[in-house]
Every structure is written in C-alpha cells, then in structure tokens.
Amino acid sequence: MAIPKDKALFDYAVRLADDQLVLGHRLSEWCGRAPTLEEELALANMGLDLIGQARSLYTYAGEVEGEGRDEDALAYLRSEREFANMLLVEQPNDDFAHTMVRQLFHAAFMTPYWEAMTGSADATLSGIAGKAVKEARYHLRHSAEWIVRLGDGTEESHARTRAALDHLWVFTGELFEMDETALSLLDRGVAVDARALKPEWDRAMNETLARAGLDRPGEIAMLSGGRTGRHSEHLGHLLAEMQYMQRAYPGMTW
Amino acid sequence: MVSALDTRQDERRARARAAAAEVCDPEIPVLTIADLGVLRDVEVAGDEVTVTITPTYSGCPAMRMIEFEIVTRLAEAGFPDAQVRTVLSPAWTTDWMSQEAREKLRAYGIAPPQGRAGGRGALFGHDTVACPQCGGTDTERVSEFGSTACKALYRCRSCGEPFDYFKCI
C-alpha cells in the first residue's frame, strides 16, 4: 500500500468514518431485539444515519488516498489494528441503559463537532458535516430524553443507568484528544479542535444528568488508544461479524 | 436571434428535466423528487445528461432506488446512459419543500414540516404538530424516529389517529 499524497487528511477522514461505522454497526445489532417497536425503528434509523455518514467519509478518504480503494475496501478489508475509531463506540451494547449512555456521550460530542466542521477549509468534510449535524441533533435529543426517563424511572432503570455511566465514563476522555494528525490538520483549518468542545459537552451532560437525577461520575484516569489501533477486545469480534461476507466472498455485491 | 440548434437544445433540456422531475420518492409516493427538493439540477451537454440529486439524510436507503428510477425515466425519454451525481452541499433542508408539496403530504396523511429549519435544536422540547386527519393540535410525539429517517411518529389526542410527521431539518 502506497503512502497517500495527503496522509494526515486520509487518516483523519478514515478515523472519523470508523467512529460512525462501528457505532452504526453496534446500533444495527439491536435489530429485532429492541424493547419496543418505536425504539427498534429509532435505533435502526440512527444506525443508518451513522453508516451513511461513514460511507461519505470512506469514499472521500479513498479519493484522497488515490489508490483506488472504495468505501467497501476501507470498511471491510482493514484489520483491527488499522481501525482508528475511539474506544467508546466499540463498547458492547450490553443493556439498553449502556446503549443509551454510549449514544448520549457520542451525540453530545458529535453535535458541536459537526457544527464546527461545517466551517472546515475542506469543502468535502464541510459538506458531510452540513448533513450530519442535522442528524446528530436528533440523536442527542433522543438519547438525552431516554437518560432522563431511565434515571428518573424505576429503581431498576436508575441503577442500570448509574452502572452504565460509571462503566463508560472512562472512555470519554478520548473524545477530546488531539494527536499529531489532528493538530496538523487543525493548523490547516481542516480539523476541529476537539478540546474546545469540552465545555459544551459538559453542559449537555450536566443538564441531562441533573434532569435525570443522576450524579455525574467523578474525575478518573481515562482510557484511550483507539486512534492508534490499540483497541479493547470487543472490536475484533465486531469486525469478524461485520467483515465476514467480504472476507469469505471477496468482491461480492448484493 | 435564436438558432434552430439552441431551440433544439432547449427542448431536449426541458424534456430531460421533465422526465427526471417525474420520479417519485419510493417511500412517499405522493411526492416527486422535484417536490422534495432532492432534484437539484439537470444538465444536457450534447448527448450527455447529468442529473444532480441530494439526499435527505446521509443514510437514506431510497437514494439508490431514486437513481435507478431517474436513469430509467431518462432512457424512456430518449436519453440513454444518463449519469446521476450526488452532492451533499448545500445540505438538503425541508425549507426547499414547496407549499404544494406540503399540502400533498398533509392530504396523504403525513403532517408536513412545521416552520423553518436551521434553528439549533434544543436538548429537550419539541414542536407542536397539527394532526393531518382532524387538524387538531392536541398531539403527542410517540417517537422521534418513524418508518423512515425523515419522519417522526405522532398520535392525535383529539381523534385518536396515529400519524407520521415529516421532520423539519
């Protein structure tokens, strides 16, 4: 594999695509298993939005690379260590509370992220952001309303949401990390400064958790590594399932 | 002075445009892609036709069907090998939907988008949506996500009917 002409831009588009694809796939795992029909539709709809965003991003990354790789090659034919998604999105669905807390953490970050990205110097990324931000707002509202319902619901739903918050909090530090790739693109006016989104994310968290009657988890040491391909054990299993058909029948189409 | 060639080109352009504009959204068959604002442009250069469309949502599964329909309709109208190009920017908005289209939606039983898009969505709270059946405003949102990405699910407390609401984005 040749080094793309603009490696930083390629890497940045791919990691952003990986985040949306992996979370989109996680949501698709709820198909046929959601607690209600309405929620079944909602989870599938959100998954579809995320996979749609990923497709645009992979297609663009393939163009930047200029080696003829298309969206399918990037989604289905890269290994676990080549995936650069953040650890949060690969965490298993577990119970509904875990799924919704993960969704809230992600959507509360992606909403201001896409808003900021609409001002990117890169016209393609800004175009993708213009669409994605409208979708992210719905995802944020949906998950925030669920967290209130669950936190302010029964003893059982409160306890499960509490456990999910405590379990997933450790992955939220990675949302705001800026590595060399992101910083170099920030200098060029292409990337978003994730660190600057923390106050807005905090506000969304505080408002939602206060309404839900849930305490915000305390400061702890955060886990990260997804951007450099160091994943939790869960990603490999997810990819094994997601990539099976393309690996078993290379080049197959529906 | 208008040459015969220009007139012929104009006629072809109008014919290609009309053929593409007839394509319906497979999920909302009362609306054409022109009504929706999904059809952005039809260019005719010599024998080549390029149709530009924009998706309503990033993952809208109807896009492939719409592309297929456009190519088919154009072939029927005498333009084989039409190309369909998808653009994302400017991002599609319900503001592009005509009054006529909104009325068609309502008559079909789908509440049309209310107001204008572009406001920053609040974390909590939602729009008041009138029931497309009885016109009553005592409605409740059942789910933010309906049968397709572009719709939410509502219920009317006055007449008891559940209905789809075309989300304002």
Side-chain angles (χ1 to χ4, degrees):
Chain A
M1 195 194 333
I3 294 172
K5 290 173 199 77
D6 190 339
K7 186 169 188 311
L9 181 57
F10 171 79
D11 287 346
Y12 193 75
V14 163
R15 66 168 66 165
L16 196 50
D18 289 346
D19 284 345
Q20 317 319 315
L21 179 68
V22 170
L23 187 57
H25 185 85
R26 278 287 183 233
L27 292 179
S28 79
E29 292 170 357
W30 274 102
C31 284
R33 295 172 190 171
T36 65
L37 181 58
E38 289 78 10
E39 200 46 36
E40 173 91 15
L41 290 172
L43 292 163
N45 263 307
M46 292 190 291
L48 208 54
D49 285 342
L50 294 170
I51 292 167
Q53 294 161 12
R55 291 185 61 182
S56 298
L57 290 162
Y58 282 132
T59 299
Y60 182 49
E63 286 164 18
V64 170
E65 184 183 47
E67 295 292 324
R69 284 205 282 183
D70 62 4
E71 50 177 323
D72 285 350
L74 290 168
Y76 295 127
L77 301 176
R78 284 182 307 132
S79 68
E80 183 187 350
R81 289 300 297 261
E82 291 173 282
F83 266 74
N85 59 277
M86 50 175 91
L87 300 177
L88 173 70
V89 296
E90 72 197 38
Q91 298 312 306
N93 287 336
D94 203 314
D95 60 11
F96 187 68
H98 274 77
T99 295
M100 275 304 136
V101 167
R102 188 185 61 200
Q103 208 61 28
L104 176 71
F105 288 169
H106 182 258
F109 175 76
M110 290 313 292
T111 300
Y113 179 91
W114 289 125
E115 266 164 22
M117 185 59 98
T118 58
S120 171
D122 186 291
T124 306
L125 290 181
S126 130
I128 293 169
K131 287 221 67 62
V133 66
K134 293 165 181 258
E135 295 154 4
R137 284 184 191 130
Y138 272 102
H139 300 187
L140 174 58
R141 202 156 80 172
H142 180 79
S143 50
E145 285 179 359
W146 263 114
I147 296 305
V148 172
R149 221 170 300 161
L150 295 170
D152 194 26
T154 63
E155 220 169 275
E156 173 81 8
S157 71
H158 181 94
R160 282 176 178 246
T161 312
R162 163 88 273 145
L165 276 173
D166 289 340
H167 178 67
L168 294 169
W169 192 253
V170 72
F171 302 110
T172 57
E174 199 174 25
L175 294 166
F176 309 101
E177 283 180 5
M178 292 290 284
D179 65 1
E180 222 171 282
T181 298
L183 286 170
S184 76
L185 288 165
L186 178 63
D187 278 347
R188 290 160 54 187
V190 171
V192 169
D193 191 350
R195 298 164 301 191
L197 306 178
K198 185 82 167 38
E200 188 157 348
W201 189 85
D202 281 334
R203 264 197 302 279
M205 245 8 88
N206 294 342
E207 186 183 342
T208 307
L209 296 180
R211 279 181 186 239
L214 289 159
D215 293 329
R216 185 185 160 115
E219 293 305 314
I220 48 166
M222 295 288 176
L223 272 180
S224 64
R227 296 298 186 218
T228 52
R230 288 178 293 124
H231 293 281
S232 57
E233 67 174 288
H234 309 295
L235 183 67
H237 296 280
L238 181 149
L239 293 182
E241 187 170 311
M242 189 182 80
Q243 297 183 333
Y244 173 79
M245 292 297 276
Q246 272 307 324
R247 302 278 191 186
Y249 304 95
M252 70 155 286
T253 54
W254 292 102
Chain B
M1 202 183 87
V2 180
S3 73
L5 194 65
D6 283 345
T7 315
R8 191 173 161 273
Q9 212 31 322
D10 286 347
E11 181 275 325
R12 282 170 60 80
R13 193 174 295 124
R15 189 151 46 89
R17 164 96 204 171
E22 270 180 17
V23 171
C24 289
D25 182 322
E27 285 168 336
I28 312 167
V30 287
L31 292 188
T32 66
I33 57 172
D35 288 334
L36 274 164
V38 162
L39 179 63
R40 298 297 302 279
D41 194 28
V42 180
E43 285 170 68
V44 180
D47 286 337
E48 292 184 5
V49 180
T50 309
V51 178
T52 307
I53 54 175
T54 194
T56 54
Y57 284 76
S58 299
C60 178
M63 292 309 281
R64 289 294 284 274
M65 186 69 190
I66 289 173
E67 279 177 34
F68 176 78
E69 289 277 331
I70 290 172
V71 171
T72 308
R73 289 294 177 103
L74 281 163
E76 286 166 4
F79 302 95
D81 308 321
Q83 299 296 313
V84 180
R85 199 168 67 95
T86 301
V87 294
L88 295 180
S89 184
W92 182 82
T93 162
T94 37
D95 294 348
W96 294 345
M97 209 185 279
S98 63
Q99 267 314 315
E100 193 194 343
R102 288 166 200 256
E103 183 46 35
K104 280 197 225 169
L105 268 184
R106 200 199 52 74
Y108 187 60
I110 298 173
Q114 315 254 314
R116 287 184 68 81
R120 285 188 45 162
L123 199 49
F124 298 98
H126 51 89
D127 317 321
T128 305
V129 176
C131 170
Q133 304 295 343
C134 73
T137 51
D138 184 16
T139 60
E140 63 176 338
R141 195 181 69 207
V142 178
S143 174
E144 193 86 87
F145 298 88
S147 54
T148 66
C150 53
K151 288 176 287 184
L153 199 57
Y154 274 70
R155 178 165 42 225
C156 178
R157 290 202 194 92
S158 304
C159 70
E161 280 287 317
F163 64 91
D164 273 334
Y165 166 53
F166 204 105
K167 292 191 282 202
C168 190
I169 68 161

